[in-house]
Amino acid sequence: MIIKKNDRQIELMREAGKIVADTHEVLRKAIAPGISTEELDKIAENNIRKYNAEPSFKGYNGFPASICTSINEEVVHGIPGKRILQEGDIISIDIGAYYKGYHGDAAKTHAVTVISEEDRKLIEVTKESFYEGLKFAKVGYRLSDISHAIQVHIQNNNFSVVRAYAGHGVGKRLHESPEILNYGPPGKGPRLKKGMVLAIEPMVNVGTCHVFTLSNGWTAVTADKKKSAHYEHTIAITEDEPLILTEL
């Protein structure tokens, strides 16, 4: 069942979303060669808690950290630790915040100083694919219209769509219905209605779409060890244009 939110609930989710957005901005400024992912996690947790919010991911199904830090070939669910960022890396950071009973959830991929042209294009196309999908996040379209638009943009740019993971509804729980694939034919699934709140999150690989999970039980990496990028916002379906809840 897809749980629709009323205007007041969406306002509360916007507050949670702003905490996520602010934390992303704080981390963007902190990313540099020589910093560890463990340090980034501490910075993020401190920033979330200063708003009297809680990191959504910490302890979620046993996840041991406050954010996900996925570097280079790591697709999603990278666990912060002693690893040091190097010039030329790309890092995907996924952040969730729980505030006044609701979650916000967003992810971005960042360059660590100078990166290759291919990596720059990967990050750019991943972000663009989110906005291509967002064009269809309106009342009357079907859920897979979002999915199809994302897939077309990614594949038109000669990258591959990760199929093992998907977006999701968001609300009082971090993951709610519906599942939002990043691929598929248009015109399928439920019609979008005002009050639906969705985390749309394309994950894009340079090479194969196939991934596998490391022995830590969390971190997904590309099967060919080529790089991957991730871009996500929590959005609300309105009577007009979709509202991005996880931006400042």
Side-chain angles (χ1 to χ4, degrees):
M1 182 181 69
I2 301 174
I3 302 170
K4 292 190 290 182
K5 281 75 177 177
N6 61 34
D7 290 347
R8 175 56 182 157
Q9 290 171 318
I10 290 173
E11 285 179 17
L12 290 172
M13 294 196 70
R14 179 80 177 106
E15 291 183 44
K18 284 184 176 179
I19 296 169
V20 170
D22 180 66
T23 306
H24 268 293
E25 183 62 16
V26 169
L27 291 185
R28 182 188 67 80
K29 295 175 181 177
I31 289 169
I35 195 169
S36 71
T37 53
E38 184 177 61
E39 290 175 275
L40 293 175
D41 185 68
K42 289 177 181 177
I43 292 168
E45 180 169 0
N46 288 339
N47 197 70
I48 291 167
R49 292 194 185 280
K50 83 177 185 183
Y51 291 102
N52 294 317
E54 297 177 12
S56 298
F57 303 163
K58 193 163 192 177
Y60 183 78
N61 291 333
F63 190 75
S66 295
I67 60 173
C68 300
T69 53
S70 305
I71 300 171
N72 296 334
E73 75 278 5
E74 296 174 348
V75 181
V76 287
H77 306 155
I79 299 174
K82 302 299 183 184
R83 184 167 176 177
I84 303 296
L85 296 187
Q86 308 290 331
E87 181 170 321
D89 286 340
I90 64 172
I91 179 170
S92 299
I93 296 181
D94 197 352
I95 301 172
Y98 182 68
Y99 184 65
K100 295 183 178 179
Y102 291 91
H103 294 275
D105 187 7
K108 296 181 179 181
T109 301
H110 302 272
V112 183
T113 57
V114 179
I115 60 173
S116 70
E117 177 59 25
E118 181 179 64
D119 292 350
R120 184 202 62 77
K121 184 180 179 184
L122 173 67
I123 293 171
E124 184 178 89
V125 168
T126 304
K127 180 178 179 178
E128 290 171 352
S129 71
F130 166 85
Y131 286 99
E132 289 299 312
L134 192 67
K135 294 176 182 178
F136 296 89
K138 298 178 183 178
V139 171
Y141 284 108
R142 291 191 181 274
L143 190 66
S144 78
D145 294 328
I146 298 172
S147 309
H148 183 70
I150 290 170
Q151 179 182 15
V152 167
H153 188 72
I154 292 166
Q155 293 183 340
N156 281 349
N157 283 277
N158 300 312
F159 294 119
S160 65
V161 181
V162 174
R163 297 176 178 234
Y165 297 94
H168 51 92
V170 189
K172 290 184 176 179
R173 292 183 292 117
L174 180 60
H175 293 96
E176 297 182 350
S177 292
E179 181 180 66
I180 308 159
L181 302 177
N182 294 307
Y183 64 94
K188 305 292 183 181
R191 289 202 181 275
L192 301 177
K193 297 179 180 180
K194 179 185 175 183
M196 292 180 177
V197 178
L198 313 172
I200 301 171
E201 51 176 322
M203 289 150 273
V204 182
N205 294 349
V206 168
T208 180
C209 67
H210 298 295
V211 305
F212 67 91
T213 303
L214 297 181
S215 60
N216 64 26
W218 282 101
T219 308
V221 300
T222 59
D224 57 9
K225 299 300 179 71
K226 293 183 179 180
K227 290 182 182 176
S228 183
H230 185 192
Y231 193 87
E232 174 188 23
H233 276 299
T234 301
I235 67 106
I237 306 296
T238 74
E239 292 176 344
D240 190 22
E241 296 295 317
L243 176 64
I244 298 178
L245 302 177
T246 44
E247 64 181 8
L248 294 174

